[in-house]
Amino acid sequence: MTKSIIKLTVNGENHEVLAEPRELLIHVLRERLNLTGPHIGCETTHCGACTVELNGKSVKSCTVFAVQANGAEITTIEGIAGPAGLHVLQQSFREHHGLQCGFCTPGMITRAWRLLKENPDPTEEDVRFGMAGNLCRCTGYQNIVKSILAAAAEINASREAAE
Amino acid sequence: MNDLTPPTHDERVANLKGMGHSRKRVEDARFTQGKGNYVDDVKLPGMLFGDFVRSPYAHARVVSIDTAAAMAVPGVLAVLTAKDLAPLNLHWMPTLAGDKQMVLADGKVLFQGQEVAYVVATDRYAAADGVEAVVVEYSELPVVTDPFKALEPGAPVLREDLAGQTSGAHGARRHHNHIFKWEVGDEAATDQAIGEAEVVAEEMVYYHRTHPCPLETCGCVASMDKINGKLTLWGTFQAPHVVRTVASLLSGIEEHNIRVISPDIGGGFGNKVGVYPGYICSIVASIVTGKPVKWVEDRMENLMATAFARDYWMKGKISATKEGKITGLHCHVTADHGAFDACADPTKFPAGFMSICTGSYDIPVAYLGVDGVYTNKAPGGVSYRCSFRVTEAAYFIERMIEVLAIELNMDAAELRAKNFIRKDQFPYQSALGWEYDSGDYHTAWDKALKAVDYDGLRREQATRVEAFKRGETRKLLGIGLTHFTEIVGAGPIKNCDILGMGMFDSCEIRIHPTGSAIARLGTISQGQGHATTFAQILASEIGIPADSITIEEGDTDTAPYGLGTYGSRSTPVAGAAAAMAGRKIRAKAQMIAAYLLEVHDDDVEFDVDRFVVKGAPERFKTMKAIAYAAYNQAIPGVEPGLEAVSYYDPPNMTYPFGAYICVMEIDVDTGVHEIRQFYALDDCGTRINPMVIEGQVHGGLTEALAIAMGQEIAYDEIGNVKTGTLMDFFLPTAWETPHYTSDHTVTPSPHHPIGAKGVGESPNVGGVPAFSNAVHDAFRAFGLRQSHMPHDHWRIWRIAHDLGLHD
């Protein structure tokens, strides 16, 4: 099958990859760019383990063709932590026991990161609804919700302190 | 206070982060940054990919397999069929249950999704292309998916390979689709008790077929190094050491030349206990090609082919006096095992620990009979977040109690309390042969009822029923009660083994000269947080901070042999091994401390993180100082170094219990439910990490919610799997999942070194009957006795409809 060159900016780095038109974005990220943080859980857009940020939106990269992402800005879990260290969400998931086996966690945190950008002060209901595209089999979500709400509060408090 | 002020006793205890401390997890730094290492993350130079051709039919002859076109697909290197595996005698493999299973279809297929051919290619796309190009000609055979029909005289013969065999691994077979009959208890005495009883309740309780469905599917990477003759196998294995032994027995490769590695595992829940054709085919493909071969199943393959759970038809009879004192329990199970008996149970227990079905109750006489049956469904029968068949047992007895309460016209909470095994009866010998180690059911029950204001809820429910009858509301209120008792921590070697391997577990500890340590265990975490919690047990036992102890599991070249993690056995068995190994370290440390302090061994005593001279606490040696001395001092009569290993054979299993109450609103016209309150009290004995326990409870309850309220592996009459994707197979999201309140009592296990019982599976075992009983209870006032799970919206609507509530 004819391959084409796909240009991607992933976690701030520019990449050119040669991929078949049918190749899925998740496979390009995991196999070609060695970004194995996003996982494959269902290959049908249900579980959200493969969630990445694509041009400012959460997408499930198991049902996006890599060619569709040509020219896109992508953020994966590997790009969430900043130079100063872990993102508040990453710390909050640990602090509030928001993960167990860790398989859903990269997608969960990447999705929560976008959720808090769009809704910096969510209610519990907002979080439960906004995270409903990401499945977890271990935690029962209670501590995930707690982690996200606590992260939101912390981000807001530090923003207010800065203002 | 200044830097020179010695830490207080409490500060030293806190510094250890030992048992009872909600220590944050050490695993999380990696996982939150996407730095986990799961099997699909394993990447080796030249690695190939395997993929299966699977049967679209549930029962058919394989007339021919043409691989020519597949071999012509670019990137395809090999296509394996049963014919290729037969010369190696690997076209069939033994199952954990004493049966055998086709690795690749040998003449016929017996369930939809069965492995027919294995394509090996340079990447996963080419492998998928190869799968598409394999041409298989089938000739359909009559299908049987109902275990009762499978036992009819004229039923199709499924297992032709067993023709003429009138006995199997578990005794006599009475029909060509019959696997075994397993019986426990005194049937004659039970029948007599029930026959003479004042009140008898009978019911068929079906626990439907479902699937553990961890978020990560099963997979492996096999790498045969032809130069040094060593096979390395990475995989999603809940029991890596057993996999090594099985791989050695099957392949003929000596066990020291096989290294099995379970890397990070993305949830297991029983799905990853078994040995699957993908592992065998990947090993063979690596031997044939000389290259590493990866196989990772997709979600549809996972749901269709690897390790279903449950599928138990449980016919019960329970008898009582008019006052509600239970006098007998009879249970007969028709167990649908699918096409091959691949249950993961200890060898002598073909129905697992189903005989815990007398539950939390003092039942004088009981009988259990289980008939295992072949059908054209996937093999498995694994313990999905429960010790072997314990969730089936708990669901059965907790439904039977409810039905008996209806028969007696009695409150179900009162009926339970009237029949609980009393605290003073422990250790308690059950009618079906178990010795319950410890319990205090009445205390737990009273605490739970009080916490939810049970009497108030019943008053509210009665008011609601009246309002409903007057047409003022269309919502009913259900109060789901459960008091469960589990049996976990298999188990004593004397009666528990898997493929002949006794179910002990192990821990090996090395204390480093500077006072930190590494410990390795025979278990493997799949999210339970072993790296965090086992270090806490050791911290308390040895006196070295948990933060200074590395825990490793899952590499058979380095970890001591163990039977793995399932059936809530890690804490009861490997946790005990950790404590015992820790005590060996401490015993040697005591000798070293006494030598350094120039006193007799008996004149020093352990105090948190040090040995002190009795009566002179200012004279002490810390564990850190002792560790250093172990490596740099010549101590007469004491070997250098500070290491210990313990292989722990538990004297008994442990019996965690709990009281769960679910309050549910049900819309009669839509069948939609809302969980208003869920209270879960668990007694898992000594608590190692309360934060981790609470997390386990939340997760297990959510899996219970899924099973009770919608999740199933459903088949149509010709054996098509109707629930092969996450569109059809219900996994709750954050939106559907309620908020849980957890609580506890502490009744330590008397025989466990630290009194711990295990908790990971309790919430699933207790949760399923709590949710289901809530649904039943909502309709009790309108005459509902029994309605099978899963209670999805349509089925609840159907209950209301059949009771005439839509008229």
Side-chain angles (χ1 to χ4, degrees), chain B residues 511-522:
Chain B
I511 311 294
H512 305 315
T514 51
S516 65
I518 184 165
R520 297 186 171 101
L521 298 99

Side-chain angles (χ1 to χ4, degrees), chain A residues 20 22-24 27 30-32 34 36-37 39-44 46-47 49 77-78 81 86 90 93-97 99-106 109 124-125 127-129 131-132 134-143 145-146, chain B residues 24-26 28-29 31-35 38 40-41 43 49 124-126 129 211-217 265-267 269 298-299 384-385 526-527 691-692 695-696 698-700 702-703 706 711 726-727 731-735 737-740:
Chain A
E20 292 182 17
R22 62 177 177 170
E23 204 162 321
L24 298 169
H27 289 141
R30 289 178 50 82
E31 308 285 341
R32 299 190 187 276
N34 290 319
T36 55
H39 297 134
I40 302 169
C42 69
E43 297 173 311
T44 52
H46 289 98
C47 81
I77 185 68
E78 288 89 345
L86 292 187
Q90 291 169 313
F93 268 66
R94 175 165 192 264
E95 189 62 31
H96 299 287
H97 193 28
L99 66 150
Q100 291 180 28
C101 82
F103 199 77
C104 75
T105 311
I109 291 178
E124 172 169 348
E125 199 169 56
V127 172
R128 285 187 179 269
F129 189 75
M131 297 302 296
N134 290 68
L135 297 175
C136 171
R137 295 287 288 142
C138 299
T139 65
Y141 304 104
Q142 193 156 319
N143 288 342
V145 173
K146 198 169 159 189
Chain B
K24 304 300 177 198
R25 299 199 333 160
V26 298
D28 295 357
F31 291 153
T32 55
Q33 296 181 74
K35 297 297 180 196
Y38 303 88
D40 201 18
D41 302 339
K43 205 176 204 181
F49 290 80
R124 61 181 90 214
Y125 288 81
D129 289 343
H211 194 284
C213 195
L215 205 55
E216 177 201 35
T217 58
I265 296 182
F269 316 121
D298 66 25
R299 179 57 60 193
Y384 168 10
R385 202 169 185 143
Q526 307 124 40
M691 177 191 82
V692 168
Q696 291 279 311
H698 293 169
T702 305
E703 292 193 340
Q711 182 181 89
L726 298 188
M727 180 69 96
L731 299 183
T733 71
W735 187 248
T737 304
H739 184 90
Y740 306 110

Side-chain angles (χ1 to χ4, degrees), chain B residues 136-156:
Chain B
V136 186
E137 191 186 336
Y138 298 95
S139 164
E140 286 184 70
L141 293 167
V143 171
V144 59
T145 58
D146 176 332
F148 297 99
K149 287 182 183 162
L151 287 181
E152 286 172 2

